[in-house]
Amino acid sequence: MNAPVFLQELKERVNQHPFLRHPFLHQFSTQALTFEQARTFALLYYPHILRTRLYQANALGVTPDERIQAVLADILYDEYGNGDPSKSHMEVYRKLLRALDFSDADMANAPIIPEQQGYIDTMMRVTQGTDWLAAVGVAGIAGEWPIPPYYRMLLTGLRTVPGISEDALELFVGHIELDLEHSRMIEDAILPHLGTREGQASLWRGIELNLNARLVQLSGLQREVFGNV
């Protein structure tokens, strides 16, 4: 299978993964959320937001291809607000936490549920490993491709919460278009490495590990936010 055909098939695999059909996302996007449910979700999701850039930095560090390094560097620069600390993705997300009445102390002590810790451990292990193409898959592809449909569902729920402005939801709104652009950038850069079965298998390994860990992560969020599994 040539590289462009493989990439297209890969997108279909990602779109069909159970992660995007998890019951949590259905419940989150089809019922009005209470203020407390939104608070629970937002604080538990914060450790995830804080660490995304670390996985990208790790992948950059193990990747030998300078073109891919440059793309990951561009994505990292976006994470840090393109030089404006007030626009870093971490700070933009904190607007939602402040809108939900969290203090700086609350944010500094955000809990990490076991399913979230499992996701973190998976991402750190793969992005610091010896299979650099899997690292690019886990952080550069699986961290971009599924995000637009995923965040649309989260936005649908969060927009039902009384008192939450669009400005407070900027992180989710902005990533829908941003991650489409990031996806195009990383696809172009990795294409030369996808002409072999070995390269294709490595990339899919990273993507699948990410999506499977996200599936577990959502089960933990479902339990904590809605009290069911």
Side-chain angles (χ1 to χ4, degrees), residues 206-220:
I207 293 170
E208 188 173 37
L209 284 169
N210 177 296
L211 297 178
N212 289 344
R214 285 185 187 273
L215 193 67
V216 175
Q217 179 192 51
L218 291 185
S219 293

Side-chain angles (χ1 to χ4, degrees), residues 69-83:
Q69 289 175 7
V71 171
L72 291 171
D74 279 346
I75 293 172
L76 268 172
Y77 195 51
D78 278 337
E79 286 281 333
Y80 284 97
N82 296 298

Side-chain angles (χ1 to χ4, degrees), residues 98-158:
R98 294 186 182 105
L100 291 166
D101 296 334
F102 285 111
S103 67
D104 289 345
D106 294 328
M107 298 179 208
N109 294 284
I112 300 178
I113 59 175
E115 294 86 354
Q116 181 70 275
Q117 188 63 58
Y119 180 88
I120 293 167
D121 292 345
T122 296
M123 295 296 288
M124 293 299 286
R125 183 180 72 253
V126 179
T127 58
Q128 293 176 318
T130 57
D131 188 342
W132 68 266
L133 203 48
V136 173
V138 80
I141 292 291
E144 306 291 342
W145 276 1
I147 300 305
Y150 176 36
Y151 275 13
R152 286 190 189 101
M153 286 184 274
L154 294 181
L155 271 171
T156 298
L158 291 169

